[in-house]
Amino acid sequence: MYRENYIKSLHSELIALVEQYLSPIAIKYGYSQAPLEANIKWRPLVLILGNYSSGKSTLINEYLGEKIQATGQAPTDDSFTVITYGKPDAPLDRVKVVDERDGKFLLNDPEYPFTILKRHGERFTAHFRLKKVNSPFLKNLAIIDTPGMLDSITERDRGYNYQEVIGDLAQISDLVLVLFDPHKAGTVREAYTSLRDTLPSKTFEDRVRFVLNRIDECTSMIDLLKVYGTLCWNLSQMTGRKDIPPIRLTYSSLAHHNKQTGDEEKNGGYLKYLDNQREDLKEEILEAPRHRLDHLATFVETHSGRLTHLIEALIGYKKNLRQFKIKSTAIGFFSGLLAGGISVTGLLAGGIGLDPYTMAIAGAGIAVLWMIIFHSFIFDRLKQAFNRNSLKQIDQLTPLDNQTRIDTWEAIKNTIVGFIQKTKGDFSLKQMKREYKDVKFVFNEGSKDIREALNEISTLKKDQAFDVSSDSPVLSRILKFEPMELDE
Ligand SMILES: Nc1nc2c(ncn2[C@@H]2O[C@H](COP(=O)(O)OP(=O)(O)OP(=O)(O)O)[C@@H](O)[C@H]2O)c(=O)[nH]1
Ligand SMILES: [Mg+2]
């Protein structure tokens, strides 16, 4: 097996794991409305953001090997274009668009992970499209080209909330490139804030790459250093951090050669020293499937962790409810006996002398009548009070003894309240215990295996063939994944 296939099989196994073990539970408890895997089962995604004319579309065209996206000096493209692989009906001798779909299709077809973007309205739908292209570059990933950021145009002018769209797309992307060009190295705010606000800080660092593009347009090495310095300064102002995130340097050779008017040494002699940077960036984009695996591993860990905590809390609630039921049944029973006893004593004290047999029947009758009244009317009231009380003290259902548990609790608390309100405690504890074992197993063992597999991948070379059965015990374990047998 080759590394690429290894990554692919791990990807489908992880999706199967989520589909089989986490999604049914997530939907059952209202943790998620749609299957969890809906947003992650499509191809690895690379999102390209940046200022207008920073060269996003030109760079994409260079990677694809043909002019697929429109390019130009003025703000050129006001659409979000998903570019994915499409097989031509008959063999083609060049790269071209083999199929095109509009936003409506893309937002409504559940095969694609974009249904969450429906909320951005019709203006956005009109600016969203899909292109299928037969480029080998797209074999294992899809790219999203975006409209450039325009400092002078506000969100309202676009007719949809641009920053929120970027945020939603970044959430489902595996790599986010933010492009700058030497002319506008100072305009980073819009890109930065939309990403910072929508991606958790760890995800932000994992996923976002800053790129200084069009470096061939700097007149000299010194000019390039000045531009680089300006960009670093602006980024550090935005991040508020002293360490500067790495910035990749690149340019599109096609655009560069088209513009070339003379002596390369005169203005761009430094470029040859930076070609390795361009290669690195391309390699990094092609590594999107591996990034996807990292994200999937985090995804499995996060959701299985939260679901474990969620079920643990519901089991806690159910146990309290059981205790409450035992207690109130006992109260009903003994108060019934008491009522029977008091009635008999009352009859005796009132001098109503019935024979002992009739007295016993009367006492027992009153006791049973009381128990029926208790269970039909009083018990329900007590149960309602118990539920109200439980919801008031919801934070006490499980120990919140460290920050991780406090964070997961915040993410699931409302779901738990909703589920208790909906079911009023009418659910099976036995079934829940079984589900608990499943998600806990995925959380503990599944996540460990996935991390081991990821470490293994990082040691493999791109074209290295290896034998799964002997070289990759981790993969075979995941492939054979079965949750533990349950001891009821
Ligand atoms: N010299 C040089 N010119 C470039 C480079 N990349 C892009 N250009 C030129 O810059 C202009 C803008 O490029 P686009 O690819 O359209 O930029 P964009 O970021 O997609 O712009 P919008 O879609 O409007 O946001 C075009 O005229 C390109 O030919 C580059 O690396 N070097
Ligand atoms: Mg463009």
Side-chain angles (χ1 to χ4, degrees):
M1 182 183 266
Y2 286 95
R3 181 176 180 270
E4 189 181 305
N5 295 341
Y6 185 15
I7 291 179
K8 268 194 193 148
S9 27
L10 262 176
H11 186 254
S12 24
E13 287 312 312
L14 285 179
I15 299 291
L17 196 76
V18 173
E19 211 164 28
Q20 204 174 338
Y21 295 98
L22 302 184
S23 278
I25 294 176
I27 290 177
K28 175 178 167 187
Y29 294 108
Y31 172 77
S32 162
Q33 304 309 318
L36 287 175
E37 68 281 2
N39 291 342
I40 46 162
K41 72 172 181 212
W42 204 55
R43 331 189 64 210
L45 271 174
V46 180
L47 176 65
I48 315 267
L49 302 176
N51 295 318
Y52 75 91
S53 295
S54 53
K56 300 178 291 295
S57 308
T58 309
L59 197 66
I60 292 172
N61 288 343
E62 172 159 322
Y63 290 147
L64 299 181
E66 196 62 56
K67 189 167 185 249
I68 299 297
Q69 289 292 83
T71 59
Q73 277 300 355
T76 299
D77 196 353
D78 62 355
S79 286
F80 290 83
T81 313
V82 179
I83 308 166
T84 188
Y85 185 78
K87 211 169 170 200
D89 294 335
L92 290 173
D93 52 5
R94 66 185 193 91
V95 171
K96 61 183 262 198
V97 177
V98 296
D99 195 7
E100 242 177 302
R101 295 295 168 98
D102 62 13
K104 223 177 200 148
F105 167 86
L106 203 48
L107 293 175
N108 288 301
D109 188 334
E111 189 204 330
Y112 298 97
F114 304 114
T115 41
I116 49 159
L117 289 152
K118 269 194 220 170
R119 68 189 182 102
H120 297 294
E122 285 184 10
R123 281 292 289 278
F124 169 70
T125 310
H127 289 87
F128 194 39
R129 64 172 68 117
L130 173 79
K131 281 184 185 172
K132 292 189 177 179
V133 178
N134 62 328
S135 166
F137 192 80
L138 300 168
K139 208 167 120 210
N140 297 317
L141 55 92
I143 297 180
I144 308 180
D145 192 8
T146 61
M149 290 165 189
L150 304 160
D151 283 346
S152 56
I153 288 194
T154 63
E155 283 154 26
R156 222 175 313 119
D157 294 321
R158 294 188 197 254
Y160 57 86
N161 190 324
Y162 177 82
Q163 298 211 2
E164 278 184 20
V165 171
I166 296 287
D168 281 355
L169 288 172
Q171 295 263 9
I172 54 170
S173 297
D174 300 285
L175 198 63
V176 180
L177 301 190
V178 186
L179 264 62
F180 300 97
D181 65 277
H183 313 286
K184 299 183 284 303
T187 53
V188 297
R189 187 172 289 274
E190 198 176 14
Y192 188 81
T193 29
S194 16
L195 294 174
R196 181 90 279 176
D197 291 350
T198 42
L199 290 175
S201 56
K202 188 169 171 286
T203 317
F204 185 95
E205 273 150 40
D206 279 359
R207 239 169 254 197
V208 179
R209 304 286 182 273
F210 294 105
V211 180
L212 178 57
N213 193 24
R214 298 178 64 162
I215 55 165
D216 59 306
E217 290 179 306
C218 293
T219 50
S220 64
M221 181 68 133
I222 296 293
D223 189 29
L224 172 65
L225 289 176
K226 276 189 200 155
V227 169
Y228 187 80
T230 312
L231 183 54
C232 287
W233 165 256
N234 282 309
L235 279 177
S236 70
Q237 290 295 300
M238 296 269 36
T239 57
R241 288 170 50 158
K242 289 205 183 71
D243 55 332
I244 309 290
I247 299 170
R248 277 78 175 159
L249 304 173
T250 195
Y251 64 94
S252 304
S253 59
L254 257 177
H256 171 63
H257 289 307
N258 286 347
K259 279 190 186 164
Q260 205 63 83
T261 50
D263 185 5
E264 164 92 359
E265 284 299 320
K266 212 165 105 190
N267 52 10
Y270 55 86
L271 285 180
K272 57 179 172 290
Y273 303 110
L274 297 171
D275 270 352
N276 56 343
Q277 287 259 333
R278 301 180 63 217
E279 276 309 306
D280 287 354
L281 180 66
K282 192 172 170 188
E283 282 301 310
E284 186 148 23
I285 297 174
L286 288 170
E287 279 289 283
R290 197 181 55 74
H291 290 297
R292 164 59 62 93
L293 272 191
D294 281 340
H295 300 152
L296 261 178
T298 313
F299 183 92
V300 170
E301 268 166 13
T302 309
H303 292 294
S304 59
R306 286 185 188 168
L307 287 172
T308 310
H309 198 163
L310 185 146
I311 300 179
E312 186 189 318
L314 285 174
I315 289 177
Y317 161 80
K318 191 74 185 181
K319 282 185 177 161
N320 292 347
L321 179 64
R322 197 163 61 180
Q323 267 180 3
F324 156 81
K325 278 185 179 165
I326 293 171
K327 242 194 246 165
S328 35
T329 309
I331 292 173
F333 180 72
F334 288 112
S335 57
L337 288 186
L338 198 68
I342 290 173
S343 333
V344 171
T345 320
L347 288 177
L348 286 175
I352 304 168
L354 295 172
D355 64 278
Y357 183 69
T358 315
M359 292 265 251
I361 296 224
I366 287 173
V368 170
L369 191 68
W370 168 254
M371 285 179 210
I372 292 172
I373 292 172
F374 185 88
H375 273 279
S376 317
F377 303 104
I378 304 175
F379 179 77
D380 263 358
R381 295 268 168 105
L382 288 178
K383 193 177 164 198
Q384 279 169 16
F386 167 84
N387 272 336
R388 270 199 305 275
N389 225 13
S390 303
L391 293 179
K392 242 189 247 160
Q393 298 171 2
I394 194 90
D395 292 338
Q396 284 162 26
L397 274 184
T398 58
L400 299 175
D401 42 17
N402 59 48
Q403 193 55 45
T404 315
R405 280 184 72 86
I406 296 173
D407 292 345
T408 47
W409 182 247
E410 281 309 313
I412 56 173
K413 190 165 143 177
N414 290 339
T415 310
I416 294 175
V417 171
F419 190 72
I420 292 178
Q421 279 170 338
K422 196 174 100 191
T423 58
K424 299 191 176 61
D426 222 355
F427 48 83
S428 149
L429 183 62
K430 196 169 157 190
Q431 168 79 13
M432 196 169 271
K433 282 187 175 166
R434 190 174 308 139
E435 290 164 349
Y436 181 73
K437 287 203 172 177
D438 273 5
V439 286
K440 193 152 184 162
F441 181 75
V442 173
F443 181 59
N444 290 339
E445 299 303 313
S447 307
K448 206 169 78 203
D449 279 3
I450 297 162
R451 291 284 164 204
E452 272 179 48
L454 288 178
N455 285 341
E456 193 169 6
I457 286 174
S458 62
T459 63
L460 296 174
K461 295 213 178 63
K462 215 168 152 199
D463 302 319
Q464 185 183 344
F466 65 100
D467 176 9
V468 174
S469 55
S470 62
D471 287 339
S472 174
V474 176
L475 177 64
S476 37
R477 267 180 73 189
I478 295 181
L479 290 178
K480 284 196 218 101
F481 174 80
E482 284 282 351
M484 274 185 306
E485 272 308 302
L486 302 165
D487 41 312
E488 287 293 334

